[in-house]
Each structure stands twice: as structure tokens, then as C-alpha cells.
Amino acid sequence: MALHTEPFILNIGPVHPSTHGVFRIRATLDGEVIVDIEPVFGYLHRGVEKLAEQRTYTGIIPLTDRMDYITSMSNNLAYVLAVEKLAKVKVPERAEYIRVIMAEMQRICNHLVAAGAFINDCGAFFTPFLYMFREREKLMDLFEMVSGQRLTYNYMRVGGVSQDLPAEFLPALRKFLKEMPAHIAEYERLINDNEIFLARSRMIGILPKELAINCGISGPVARASGVKWDLRKADPYGIYDRFEFDIPTGTVGDANDRYTVRIAEMKQSLRIIEQAVEKIPAGPVISDVPKVLHPPVGEAYGHLEGPKGELGFYLVSDGGIAPYRFHVRPPSLINLTALRQMLIGWKIQDAITIFGSIDITMGEVDR
Amino acid sequence: MTVALAGKDIGPQIEKALPGSVLESAPGYVMLKPEFLVQAATFLKNDPAMAFDYLNFVTAVDYYDYFEAVYQVTSMTHNHTLMFKTRCYNRVDPVIPSIINVWQGADFQEREVYDLLGVYFEGHPNMKRIFLWEGFEGHPLRKDYL
Amino acid sequence: MTELFANPWFHWAFYTVLLISFALGAVMGLIYIERRGMGRMQSRLGPNRTGPFGLLQAVADAVKVLLKEDIVPANADKVVHWLAPIVAFVPVLLIFAVVPFMNGAMLADLNIGILYVFAIGSISSVGIFMAGWSSSNKYSLLGAMRDVASIVSYEIPLVLAIIGVVILAGSLSTNEIVKAQANIPFILLQPLGFIIFFAAACAEINRSPFDLLEADSELVAGFHTEYSGMKFAMFYLVEYAEALAMCAIISTIFLGGWQGPVLPPWLWFLVKTFGMFYVMVWTRTTFPRVRIDQLMALAWKFMLPLALINIVVTAIEVVIWPTPAGLPWVLIIVNFAVAGILIVTWSRLMKYGWGRVETTLR
Amino acid sequence: MKLHFGNGLLKGMLVTIKQNLRHPTVTQYPEQRLNTSRRIRGQELVWNKTRCTGCATCAKACHQGAIQIVTATNTENNKYEVETYRVDTGYCIQCGICVEACPYDALFMGARYEKAKYRRAELVENKEQMADSLDRPVSGYFHPERAEKLPVQTLLVEKINEDRSKE
Amino acid sequence: MGLAISFWILAAVAVIAALGVVLLNGVFRSALALVACFLMVAGLYITLSADFLAAVQVLVYVGAISVLIILAIMMTRNVQHGNPGNRFALPSLIIAILLLGIFVYAVTGTQWNISKIAPPDTTVATLADKLFASNGFVLPVEIAALMLLAAVIGAIVLARDK
């Protein structure tokens, strides 16, 4: 004899503290258990792809800043890589190193936000979140020193980076590198062994390996499911083949694995930055590229291992000053493909946790 | 390093498996006939030499005369990648078969293409607008949209 | 003066005024401690602009909230919606009637004091689910349902946890319990009881990590999502007044209440109460929230058996060592050992998901 | 297999209580201000009248279309002059591409960052408002020679250490 | 005097609340009236110097039973607003009148013995003596506990899926 309650439709979002922006989940509940969900997007749709068709190749860079505003630097880089592939531009050595440093700093930055927000979704009252944001502030200081802004950097350029690093940058970065491992250890002490956190995140929202690959899920979410796939190793763009680092992978693919993979990736990123800071050569930071770019007719798909997954740009050029077609492969959106399968059968509280563990930015989901 | 397989090499292989399915084997891509798209995709995914298990992205481009759907797939086992395309010449009611049953990752992306370009993916279980609201007129990424 | 206090009507009037002003004043203090203490633990300062050291922040908040428009949702059950904050607030004030500030300095020295506290405390939850139900908001309703579930479960370990203390003190009267702690506070004799009571009290008054019914990150604000202005202020007050009441009860039955050297008794009482609240702030800062089924599992699978075992152990001890002379070291050591062993054994049973593991993907 | 019996909870509690001994990572903003980056792209543009030739490269580079520039020949002294130079800072996204584009170093990003306005119309800055003056400090974005003159940025990494050394 | 006043107030409110349970439009409000009724009865116990019983009344009936009733109401969505009438209205009226008649007859027909003994000072100790002393009701208490345990296990078995 089973007791049944009537299904109950709950609208989570669009304005809800845990949807990380304006996202809406129409959830059908049985008591507290989710029976069905339907994700609703589009509350932040700005038509980036259409806007880009009317802008010069340089003018698009600020647009990419505003797609995933947590990881502007990686977005810049991914776009610039695609344009360089399209226009066949060479990049000076020093600029390559700067790009690696920036991309890895951005990865730490994003993972700090992701992990902090995830623990917040588990119900911790802002403590881990604020600790992690404290370190993110430091990184943003460094970004500000380099680019002049704290969030929308607009730093990468086709053929290099916009300006050289200031003189005081590398010492400050070294100081940060020295301090950061202690801070990561602090987060781990604070939350990793916490029984409540483990109970809330272990074996929750399991994403099997096959499903992850089939759904095109990439980045830490896929790696937590055991997919050992990292474009930095698999398709080393730029100069990533010169650095030593590991790809942390999870075993089960639950929410806890996604969190631990992110923490481990931060450590790997620190390793990469350390090597890059050691080896960075002097020289020009931007190659000789015309101010208004006219790439030849053709198409190119440039991608990189963004902090959230494979971030790619598919560009079609008709030889003009603006791309004919500008398509983004948004990791945030595609990582949500399996959301329905991951959420059904769990309680609302788990749903929030699982959703938080995927780590999305609505600016990129909707674009 | 991921090897970008040349369409020239892969095209004949697909043609061999599915006669009449390939329209063009360019250096950068393989152009498939829309009616053979799902079969070709299944072949690319299941053939052990190809084993394209991962779909990078799906999109479409509006070339005024036709819509071109672009698919990029990667094999995680062989670490190679391939781009294949298909075309649809109907501008009023463009229809392309959906590959969601081959790669589930196409789910939201096909919906996005439908929303912004108006290309209907036949066989998709939930083919409706994703970003814009129901009842929005037109498809903004088309070149003739204001 | 003493004959004045002998007059029951004066006694009543005096303590009623005293208790209400104490509750309201101390709540301001608690809010200050919570916000500043939490701020410091989170590597920030907390409110420090209003008044010296931000002491008037609670006043400013109160003024702001009282001046706000009172909004009642269109589909709400208006009478119930209006009554809910009052029903929630009155019982909380009533709890303070049996809290001894000094020896005998209390409104009523009931001989069922402790039982009275829990009986009255359970009425307050009626107000909470009145609020949740009448708002006709799904989040509120979910919050209210969670509240019902947690109240029903946690009342039991809460009451069972203090039976050990009652056995040791030999009375249900709060004043007698404090007097029985002249030598040694019961926290040393009842470590397990204290832990269970503290956790259950946190759950009963919906403080983190058991604050499921207002869970910010899931239910937005749970049962008081639809409340604003004065009525919201009432719920805010209830929340902290309940915390104050629970801290006062904990310090009374486990920490020796007003007993203590050097300082005057009432000050000892206040210090212990506020110290206890600081511990609550501390746990709130550190822990994530548990899930609803884990909350239940914790009550039924962890706290209930442990509380029962604790009663048995205490009863046996009382029979074996009837009147401990001086500090009963043997008892303290035995009790701590028992507590440690029990917690370790039971926590092994509560590994992943605390008893309920879902491995299949649906 | 790690043992779990509440030790994780206690470990976490130790971390939070230890924070009480540390210096809070807080700036009391209106009174206490940190130096911004030398390359800050502030909420305004600074325009140098003498260097500007009115070539309108900045207006072409601006993908937001925020810059309006009108040049005309002054008939009195027979000179080519910039008649209007107007920036709608409401449209401006502070990307700095106009500054990079300027071939004559006549355009700079401003260094100030508190520019709230009550009306949209006030966001439009004209020639006089944009002029290079003392109360409109210029940022060193894309102008390294200017950057050297600006104060060094206060970094959180270093600030914390200074405070710790004081303790 | 004071006792009499409080008795009449409590009794009147209890009766009104009991009527409210039956007559109020809206199941949730009926449940709330039930809570009020329980509370008033607890108050009556206090006027009878049965303070332990009053506390237990509040703890069990208000804290547990009515809470469960309200939980059941919250779970059943379609009776959320309004108290639907049903075809059992007439039979239940007849049964209610019959019951009332029996009660009135029984109450008026009984010889009520009024005890002259003063109520005990501490009811708790007296109760404990009665229940657990060697000449008390230890065996019935234990049997009752066992029965409740069996009921609990039975409920769990019934409610379990699969």
C-alpha cells in the first residue's frame, strides 16, 4: 500500500537565490520529490550572435566579455583563437605565456565562484563563499592591474594581448601563488570532511560517464564523471604542450566529485601558472595585425578548455570586416542537457545542490 | 593534438557505407544529404574506426539560398575530429532531420537553431523555442530579419 | 520591598514587565551578536555604521521594517494570515515565565517547569504553519510542511535528552534543577544529553543547520515569504526570542544557570545564555543545511536511540552512585566515554546519505 | 576510508573560529579608498582638444556608437576644427577600444569611477565636459607614460600582509 | 472566585472552538479551532490542579496530534479551500443526536462523588508513585508501551513502499 500525494507544480525561478541568474525550472513535485522538470531559458537573451554580425572583429571582444561574465578572460581567448585560426595570425611568444597565465588565473577565479556558490546552495551560510570570494578579489585585483577592469577585461587581441604586463604584476602574482595553497587547504579543512556536506553531496545527482559523453558535457562536470578529456591535453592550443599538469577526474560523477575536481583543478592551475611565470620570455606582446581585420573567406572553429567546459567559437567569414556568422558553443548551456535526467527522483533540496554543482552562468546560457 | 580529419578522406568512407549519402567531400568538411543525415551520424558514431562519441556543436548558417547545418564531432578514443554539414534549400519551411537520438547533446542546440534561424529539426521530441517566447514572430539570426 | 514581592499581583506585574522588556532587549543583543559575530567569522566586519560599533543596527532595522507597507496576498486566508505572527509570538514569551534569573527570581516556579517549556514551545509551531498555509504560496506551504515534520520528530529527542538531567536533579522545576548543579554543571555529567539537546533545540527553533523551513537557497524564505512590515518583524522577533529562550533553557539545565563564582548570579545567567547563543551563531556560520530526510533520519535513527540509551545509563549510574560526594570524577569520565563510544558507533551507521543511499539514476 | 563521526564538523568549526584572530578583508569604502589600477578604465573619457585632429577614428572604432564627432571649417580663421565631440556615457561600455584606436593620443580613459547621475541626459558629455583638466585625472590605459605618474594600485594580496605584519 | 471566572471563560471558549471545528467553512480553520479547543481543555486541567496532565495535553495533542492533522490537510490539495459537503450529512446528524442523547442521559443519571481530599502538592511525584511504585501500575504501563511499539512497527510496515 503506497501513499500518493497529488502532483504539485513549483516554479523555481526565474528570480530565485539559487538559480545563478535568471533561470527557471518548472518542477513537478510529488511531496518533495521531483517527478519532472522543464528548464526555461531566455530571460537574459541579448542576441550576442546577431550583434556580432555587425561588429568588427576587434569590437566583438567586449561582447564575449559579457557572455560569461565570470570567465571573461577565457572567453576573450577562445574567440581570439578562433579568429587567429580564421585569419592565420601568429602570436608572439610572450603573449602566449601571458595568455596561459591569464587563462589559468581565470580558471581559478571561476572555480572559486563555482565551489563557493555550490556550498552556498548546500545551505552553508555564506562562509565558504566569502572565503573563496576573498581570494577571488585578489585575482581580480591582478586582472585589474593588467587590463584596467575587474570583470569585463577585454584584454586579448587578435595576434596577442592588448598591453604588456605592468612591472609590478609578476611579483604580486608570485606572492599570490605562494599564499594560495594555504587558502585552498583552508577551504578543504572547512568543508571537505564536513559530514553534513558529504551527506548532502555524495551520491547525489550522479551523471554516468556514457551519458556525459553522449550529452556533449565537458569541463569539470564531465571530468567528475570519469571522462578524462581536457582540451589542454587532448588538443593543446597555444603553448599548453609545454607545461606539466594532471587532469583530475572523479570516480562516481556525483555532486561531491564535481566539487573536488574543481578544487583539484585549482591546484593544477597554480602549477601551470608557476611554470609559466618561471619561463616567461621578454619580447613583443602583439604581432603586426591590421587594426581592421579582413580575414579570408572561410570558416573556423576555435575552442579551448574553458573553466566551465569546452568553449568554442564557430566563425564564418565572407571577407568583410565583420563575421558573416558568429556562433558560440556555450559550455554552460550544453552542460545543462542532462539536467532533466540528473534531477528527476531527487528532492528539491538536492535539485538545488545538483544544479549548483553544474556551475553555469546565465549570461552564457542565454547569450 | 586532436587530428582534424579531412573531409576528403572520410567522405568516400561514408559513401561506401551509405551509397548516395555524400554530396561533397571538401578538405574541411563532408557535405551530407539531409535524408541520410541520421544514418550517416549513426555510422560515424558506431563505426569503430570513427567512433565519434562526442558532439562538439550543432549550428546552422543562413546563406540566403539555403540553410547549412554544421556539425562538429570528436572521437575521445581516437582523438580526432570531423566537421560535416547538410543543406536545406527550402526557405519557407526548412526541415532537417534531428540527430538527438544519436547524440543527446544536440538537444538544446537544435532547439536554439530552430529558435533563432527557423530550421525545424524533424524527430526532436521537444521542438519549440528555447530563448525567445512562444509567439515571437520571425527568427532573428536569419539574414533577412531586420 | 520583600513584602511587596510577597504580594502575588505585584510579583506578576513586575515579572511580566521585566520579562517582556528582557526578551525584547535581549533579542536586540542577539541580533547584534549574530551579525557581528558571523561577520567576524566570515572575514568581514558586520554592520558597524548605525550608532557606536553598530549597536543601533537592530533598532534601525526595526524602524525600517515597521514603517514598511503591510502586504497581504490576494488569495491569502486573511484572518489566519493576520493571526499567525501573534500565535507564533505569544508562546515564546510565555516560555520565559519559568526561566530562573536568580535563585527563585522567576515569574512562576512551576513544579513541571521543564515540561511546560516544551509544551508551550510546541504551540509556537502552530503559528508557523498557519503562516505557511495561509500565504497561499507554494514555497510557504513547503516550508510549513517541513516545519510540521521537523517539529513532530524533534520534540521527542528534545524531551528525552533532558530526562537524564531530571533523573539527576530529581525535579522538573527549573529552579530546583539549577540548585542541583551547585557542585557541578550537568553538561559534565550529561555530555551526550547536552549534544542531543543542543542539536534538537537547533532543529526545534529552526536554526542552521536545520533551518529547512526558511532555507534561503531553496525555499527563498519559506513560511514567511509573503510577510512584510510589522508581521514580518514579529516573525523575526519570534525567531530570535525562541533562540534566546532555548539558550536560556540550555544554560539553566546544563550549564548551571545562575550558579557561578564571583559574578552576581543574574550576570552569570546572562553570560551563559549569550555564550550559548554564540555557539549557535558559530555552528550556523560553519555548517551547510541538512536535507529533509536526513533531518528525519537524524532524529529517529541517531538522536532517539542515543537519548534512550543515555536515560538507561543515567538511571543505572544514579542507582549505583546515589549521592556523589565532591566532584564525581568517575561519573564524568564514564559519561564522556559512553558519549564518545555511542557517537562513534552510531555515526558509522549513518555514513553516506545518513542511512538512505540512492544510487540508481532515474 | 576516512572515519566520520563529527570530526569534520569540528575541523570546520575550528577554521571559522580562527577567523576571529585574523584581520578582516574589508575596506570601509567611503572613508577608506584603495588605489585603483593605473590602467583603470573609468566611467568617463578624457579628450585632449589640442591633439585631436577630428579624424573620427575613435567614432568608427566604437562599436557601441557612443561617440559623435562633427568637424567643420571655421570660416573666420580658416581652420579645420572639431565642432562637436560628444560621448554618450550611457552607451559606453568602457572597453577602451577608442583609446587604442586614436592615432594621435588625444583620447584617454578617465581614472574616476563614481559617476552616478540622476538623469539620462546628464550622461551625455560634450566637448567642455570632456576636456583634460586637473579634477579629471587621466588613467594610464594604453598610455604607459601616463601610468608611471599614477599611484601604485593597492593590492589585496599585499594589503593583508601589511596588516599582518602590524599585528 | 478567580478560578470560577477562568473556568467559565475556558469552558465557553472550548465549546465555541468545538463548534467551530464542526461548523467552520474551511478544513484548515477547523483544524485550528481544534487546536484552540485542546488548549482550552489544557487550561481546564490547570484549574483542576492537574498541571502535569495539562502540560502533557498540550505537548501531545497540540504539539503532535493536531500537527499531524494539519499535515494531512496540507497534503490534500483539493480540499484546501472550503469544506465540501457530502452525502453522509443526514446519517451523521442522526448519529450525533443519538450520541448526544446518550451522553446527556449518562451524565444526568450518574451519581457524581466529589472528593474532599485536597489535591496533591506535586502531582508529578504522586503520578510517578502510582505508575512505577511496586504496588502501582508497572505492568499495565509496560504492556501499553509494548502495544504502542507494535502499532508503530505495524504502521511502518503498512506505509512502506514495495
Side-chain angles (χ1 to χ4, degrees):
Chain A
M1 190 180 81
L3 295 170
H4 285 293
T5 45
E6 274 185 47
F8 174 90
I9 292 172
L10 185 75
N11 239 325
I12 304 174
V15 183
H16 184 282
S18 292
T19 50
H20 300 245
V22 278
F23 180 56
R24 181 173 149 214
I25 302 173
R26 242 175 64 102
T28 312
L29 306 180
D30 174 20
E32 288 232 0
V33 179
I34 291 179
V35 184
D36 193 11
I37 66 144
E38 196 203 339
V40 183
F41 309 94
Y43 294 93
L44 206 59
H45 181 65
R46 291 156 296 177
V48 165
E49 295 183 5
K50 186 77 177 174
L51 279 174
E53 287 176 10
Q54 289 138 23
R55 293 190 171 199
T56 59
Y57 283 92
T58 315
I60 292 170
I61 299 172
L63 273 185
T64 62
D65 280 339
R66 283 153 182 82
M67 270 170 23
D68 184 350
Y69 35 79
I70 309 282
T71 63
S72 301
M73 212 53 111
S74 302
N75 298 357
N76 284 179
L77 182 54
Y79 167 71
V80 164
L81 282 175
V83 178
E84 279 160 8
K85 213 168 171 181
L86 190 67
K88 299 184 181 59
V89 178
K90 279 263 177 291
V91 183
E93 192 82 331
R94 185 175 171 83
E96 291 277 26
Y97 276 94
I98 294 175
R99 283 179 174 189
V100 167
I101 293 173
M102 291 300 151
E104 294 307 318
M105 276 164 68
Q106 190 71 80
R107 193 183 312 278
I108 299 176
C109 215
N110 176 70
H111 287 351
L112 285 171
V113 178
F118 166 59
I119 302 168
N120 224 32
D121 288 343
C122 287
F125 197 86
F126 290 104
T127 313
F129 186 72
L130 282 168
Y131 289 180
M132 290 179 184
F133 264 54
R134 184 181 60 198
E135 268 66 66
R136 178 171 177 255
E137 272 316 294
K138 294 175 186 169
L139 277 171
M140 289 197 338
D141 270 352
L142 294 176
F143 282 132
E144 186 191 350
M145 183 194 269
V146 171
S147 71
Q149 289 284 48
R150 292 177 77 79
L151 214 53
T152 50
Y153 309 117
N154 185 21
Y155 183 58
M156 304 292 170
R157 290 288 180 276
V158 180
V161 296
S162 73
Q163 284 159 287
D164 200 357
L165 300 172
E168 63 267 33
F169 176 79
L170 284 178
L173 180 60
R174 285 208 181 92
K175 201 167 225 165
F176 175 78
L177 288 176
K178 215 163 69 196
E179 284 177 11
M180 192 59 190
H183 288 303
I184 294 179
E186 188 186 359
Y187 314 144
E188 286 178 334
R189 272 208 310 284
L190 173 65
I191 204 77
N192 268 24
D193 285 344
N194 190 311
E195 279 79 8
I196 299 175
F197 176 69
L198 291 180
R200 282 299 303 282
S201 63
R202 273 213 190 149
M203 296 308 205
I204 301 291
I206 295 168
L207 178 69
K209 192 175 170 183
E210 290 71 35
L211 185 66
I213 296 174
N214 195 24
C215 287
I217 288 168
S218 52
V221 183
R223 284 195 283 278
S225 299
V227 185
K228 208 171 167 71
W229 182 257
D230 189 320
L231 290 175
R232 289 175 294 174
K233 285 269 193 211
D235 185 14
Y237 50 91
I239 51 162
Y240 268 103
D241 42 1
R242 298 184 200 172
F243 300 106
E244 256 177 50
F245 61 97
D246 305 324
I247 309 173
T249 47
T251 46
V252 195
D254 55 6
N256 194 291
D257 271 349
R258 293 195 267 279
Y259 163 78
T260 42
V261 161
R262 288 203 176 95
I263 296 284
E265 272 189 22
M266 285 204 273
K267 292 178 187 164
Q268 296 304 325
S269 290
L270 286 176
R271 251 177 93 187
I272 297 175
I273 299 174
E274 266 165 20
Q275 295 170 40
V277 168
E278 284 296 311
K279 286 192 257 178
I280 186 165
V285 293
I286 187 158
S287 57
D288 201 13
V289 179
K291 281 211 163 165
V292 180
L293 206 62
H294 293 266
V297 180
E299 58 184 8
Y301 174 66
H303 60 178
L304 58 72
E305 184 65 36
K308 294 191 167 74
E310 179 190 344
L311 175 65
F313 286 85
Y314 173 68
L315 300 172
V316 179
S317 164
D318 59 351
I321 59 164
Y324 182 78
R325 175 83 169 93
F326 171 88
H327 173 75
V328 191
R329 185 220 188 261
S332 293
L333 175 70
I334 295 170
N335 285 356
L336 286 177
T337 308
L339 185 69
R340 191 166 171 277
Q341 279 129 310
M342 282 160 85
L343 289 193
I344 288 176
W346 295 100
K347 297 198 165 51
I348 314 168
Q349 283 188 295
D350 294 327
I352 301 288
T353 317
I354 296 164
F355 185 71
S357 72
I358 298 174
D359 176 31
I360 58 159
T361 308
M362 288 322 287
E364 188 174 79
V365 173
D366 293 342
R367 300 188 305 294
Chain B
M1 199 79 189
T2 310
V3 184
L5 294 180
K8 275 189 176 139
D9 307 333
I10 302 302
Q13 289 184 41
I14 300 174
E15 179 73 30
K16 212 171 90 188
L18 299 159
S21 62
V22 177
L23 280 176
E24 183 194 349
S25 300
Y29 56 87
V30 181
M31 182 70 70
L32 297 168
K33 268 189 193 164
E35 48 267 35
F36 285 97
L37 182 69
V38 179
Q39 292 169 33
T42 319
F43 166 72
L44 286 174
K45 190 184 177 187
N46 295 338
D47 187 70
M50 310 280 180
F52 287 108
D53 44 7
Y54 179 82
L55 176 77
N56 286 54
F57 73 91
V58 180
T59 189
V61 189
D62 177 11
Y63 284 108
Y64 293 101
D65 310 332
Y66 54 88
F67 288 104
E68 189 174 88
V70 184
Y71 303 82
Q72 172 111 17
V73 286
T74 302
S75 164
M76 285 188 177
T77 41
H78 302 307
N79 199 3
H80 57 212
T81 176
L82 174 75
M83 181 181 280
F84 62 91
K85 299 180 175 182
T86 185
R87 277 180 188 165
C88 171
Y89 285 88
N90 186 348
R91 199 166 173 81
V92 187
D93 254 338
V95 178
I96 287 175
S98 165
I99 55 156
I100 185 169
N101 292 324
V102 187
W103 292 289
Q104 204 199 328
D107 186 353
F108 290 150
Q109 304 182 60
E110 284 182 350
R111 275 178 73 188
E112 185 190 336
V113 170
Y114 169 67
D115 190 356
L116 301 178
L117 279 151
V119 180
Y120 192 88
F121 285 88
E122 206 162 26
H124 190 290
N126 190 19
M127 201 75 230
K128 52 183 189 183
R129 286 186 178 275
I130 183 167
F131 294 144
L132 303 169
W133 56 96
E134 290 299 322
F136 185 88
E137 277 185 31
H139 300 281
L141 268 185
R142 285 191 180 186
K143 287 286 174 185
D144 54 2
Y145 187 86
L146 275 184
Chain C
M1 197 65 193
T2 36
E3 59 264 32
L4 203 56
F5 271 101
N7 180 354
W9 290 109
F10 179 79
H11 181 88
W12 261 87
F14 177 79
Y15 275 106
T16 311
V17 172
L18 182 82
L19 287 180
I20 291 175
S21 44
F22 168 72
L24 296 182
V27 161
M28 299 242 176
L30 293 195
I31 293 172
Y32 182 75
I33 290 176
E34 168 126 42
R35 298 190 62 178
R36 289 301 293 253
M38 197 182 252
R40 278 310 273 111
M41 282 190 239
Q42 293 177 342
S43 186
R44 56 190 176 91
L45 284 173
N48 65 343
R49 293 286 161 143
T50 332
F53 306 109
L55 276 166
L56 295 177
Q57 183 65 39
V59 180
D61 281 350
V63 170
K64 183 203 95 174
V65 113
L66 294 185
L67 290 176
K68 281 201 155 186
E69 190 191 349
D70 181 36
I71 300 165
V72 183
N75 285 334
D77 188 336
K78 298 206 173 47
V79 181
V80 181
H81 192 266
W82 184 80
L83 269 176
I86 301 164
V87 174
F89 183 58
V90 172
V92 180
L93 269 187
L94 286 176
I95 292 179
F96 291 103
V98 294
V99 174
F101 291 80
M102 283 193 279
N103 189 2
M106 56 210 285
L107 177 57
D109 187 1
L110 299 181
N111 59 23
I112 50 153
I114 281 297
L115 212 53
Y116 166 87
V117 170
F118 303 120
I120 291 290
S122 66
I123 300 176
S124 176
S125 64
V126 176
I128 287 174
F129 51 70
M130 277 166 80
W133 190 84
S134 66
S135 298
S136 85
N137 175 321
K138 287 175 179 174
Y139 286 110
S140 302
L141 191 67
L142 276 173
M145 289 211 284
R146 288 178 176 184
D147 178 53
V148 170
S150 71
I151 289 287
V152 170
S153 312
Y154 275 89
E155 206 111 276
I156 294 159
L158 192 72
V159 175
L160 289 181
I162 53 149
I163 289 185
V165 170
V166 174
I167 291 174
L168 287 173
S171 171
L172 283 173
S173 154
T174 44
N175 202 32
E176 293 300 318
I177 290 175
V178 176
K179 278 185 191 165
Q181 302 177 63
N183 286 338
I184 178 169
F186 282 152
I187 182 173
L188 294 177
L189 294 175
Q190 288 284 314
L192 191 58
F194 172 76
I195 291 167
I196 293 172
F197 188 87
F198 182 75
C202 280
E204 184 86 2
I205 60 177
N206 312 313
R207 280 194 67 85
S208 186
F210 307 106
D211 58 342
L212 287 132
L213 75 163
E214 47 194 279
D216 277 17
S217 57
E218 299 125 25
L219 294 189
V220 195
F223 68 95
H224 59 59
T225 307
E226 295 290 353
Y227 278 85
S228 65
M230 188 100 169
K231 288 190 275 189
F232 173 74
M234 285 283 251
F235 276 120
Y236 203 69
L237 199 61
V238 170
E239 205 171 292
Y240 283 93
E242 270 186 329
L244 178 67
M246 274 303 167
C247 291
I249 296 297
I250 291 175
S251 60
T252 302
I253 60 181
F254 285 108
L255 301 179
W258 40 262
Q259 305 261 24
V262 189
L263 296 176
W266 58 271
L267 194 59
W268 264 117
F269 171 76
L270 286 185
V271 165
K272 284 170 181 170
T273 306
F274 281 79
M276 215 49 236
F277 185 74
Y278 191 76
V279 177
M280 280 190 181
V281 173
W282 186 12
T283 53
R284 185 183 180 199
T285 321
T286 316
F287 299 155
R289 190 179 299 118
V290 299
R291 201 172 54 202
I292 182 77
D293 59 315
Q294 291 164 352
L295 182 85
M296 293 295 163
L298 192 69
W300 294 106
K301 295 184 189 163
F302 186 84
M303 289 189 181
L304 182 65
L306 255 55
L308 288 173
I309 294 171
N310 187 41
I311 293 171
V312 174
V313 170
T314 315
I316 292 170
E317 281 170 357
V318 168
V319 173
I320 298 174
W321 295 287
T323 41
L327 275 182
W329 286 111
V330 191
L331 266 178
I332 294 173
I333 292 165
V334 166
N335 276 322
F336 268 92
V338 166
I341 290 166
L342 284 178
I343 289 175
V344 170
T345 6
W346 247 264
S347 52
R348 290 188 71 79
L349 301 178
M350 311 261 305
K351 249 189 284 182
Y352 308 127
W354 294 0
R356 183 156 168 272
V357 185
E358 297 186 51
T359 43
T360 49
L361 184 89
R362 272 157 295 180
Chain D
M1 192 67 231
K2 270 188 203 163
L3 277 179
H4 289 292
F5 40 86
N7 50 345
L9 301 178
L10 296 178
K11 232 157 71 177
M13 286 175 82
L14 209 63
V15 173
T16 39
I17 202 77
K18 266 193 207 157
Q19 286 294 324
N20 280 324
L21 305 173
R22 288 220 200 139
H23 201 274
T25 322
V26 167
T27 311
Q28 298 283 301
Y29 165 59
E31 297 95 36
Q32 196 188 344
R33 288 162 195 240
L34 304 181
N35 290 337
T36 53
S37 161
R38 286 168 162 184
R39 291 179 180 175
I40 181 177
R41 304 204 294 263
Q43 284 277 51
E44 58 192 357
L45 285 171
V46 179
W47 177 64
N48 193 322
K49 193 182 173 182
T50 48
R51 287 209 195 134
C52 182
T53 60
C55 68
T57 313
C58 50
K60 283 175 209 152
C62 181
H63 44 86
Q64 291 293 96
I67 301 175
Q68 187 198 9
I69 178 162
V70 177
T71 47
T73 321
N74 193 334
T75 42
E76 280 173 25
N77 49 10
N78 204 14
K79 258 180 131 178
Y80 193 61
E81 268 185 4
V82 179
E83 200 169 70
T84 11
Y85 193 87
R86 196 183 277 162
V87 174
D88 190 339
T89 48
Y91 279 106
C92 179
I93 57 170
Q94 278 84 39
C95 63
I97 284 180
C98 51
V99 178
E100 290 174 38
C102 184
Y104 302 101
D105 290 354
L107 200 58
F108 304 90
M109 298 304 296
R112 289 194 303 181
Y113 48 91
E114 293 152 315
K115 288 270 287 181
K117 293 278 164 61
Y118 281 102
R119 283 179 196 81
R120 243 161 218 279
E122 291 169 20
L123 288 169
V124 182
E125 294 193 335
N126 60 24
K127 222 159 57 166
E128 285 73 39
Q129 284 166 323
M130 287 187 50
D132 195 352
S133 70
L134 275 179
D135 61 322
R136 293 169 59 83
V138 169
S139 127
Y141 184 74
F142 237 76
H143 293 279
E145 75 289 345
R146 295 255 183 176
E148 280 165 20
K149 290 174 203 153
L150 291 169
V152 183
Q153 181 187 354
T154 329
L155 286 172
L156 214 46
V157 195
E158 278 150 9
K159 187 170 158 268
I160 293 289
N161 286 0
E162 279 163 27
D163 284 330
R164 275 199 197 133
S165 60
K166 269 181 218 157
E167 278 168 15
Chain E
M1 180 58 197
L3 223 60
I5 292 172
S6 48
F7 168 77
W8 282 111
I9 293 172
L10 289 169
V13 177
V15 170
I16 292 167
L19 284 174
V21 176
V22 186
L23 300 176
L24 269 182
N25 210 5
V27 195
F28 189 77
R29 289 189 182 189
S30 297
L32 290 180
L34 190 65
V35 173
C37 186
F38 285 151
L39 280 175
M40 292 308 131
V41 173
L44 286 178
Y45 288 152
I46 291 174
T47 61
L48 296 173
S49 303
D51 43 8
F52 183 79
L53 187 57
V56 169
Q57 159 93 6
V58 174
L59 198 60
V60 173
Y61 281 89
V62 178
I65 290 180
S66 59
V67 164
L68 282 179
I69 290 171
I70 287 170
L71 182 70
I73 290 168
M74 283 176 179
M75 289 283 189
T76 44
R77 300 282 300 163
N78 47 1
V79 291
Q80 197 187 53
H81 295 287
N83 208 346
N86 56 31
R87 60 208 158 81
F88 295 116
L90 200 69
S92 47
L93 180 74
I94 293 167
I95 291 169
I97 289 172
L98 274 175
L99 262 177
L100 184 71
I102 292 166
F103 278 139
V104 168
Y105 176 75
V107 168
T108 49
T110 314
Q111 275 290 334
W112 293 96
N113 285 325
I114 297 167
S115 165
K116 290 282 187 293
I117 312 163
D121 221 23
T122 53
T123 43
V124 187
T126 325
L127 254 172
D129 273 349
K130 279 273 179 284
L131 286 179
F132 298 112
S134 49
N135 55 349
F137 298 94
V138 184
L139 190 66
V141 167
E142 294 300 324
I143 289 170
L146 214 67
M147 234 172 70
L148 284 174
L149 186 69
V152 166
I153 292 169
I156 291 171
V157 168
L158 279 179
R160 250 177 110 89
D161 280 331
K162 283 165 261 171

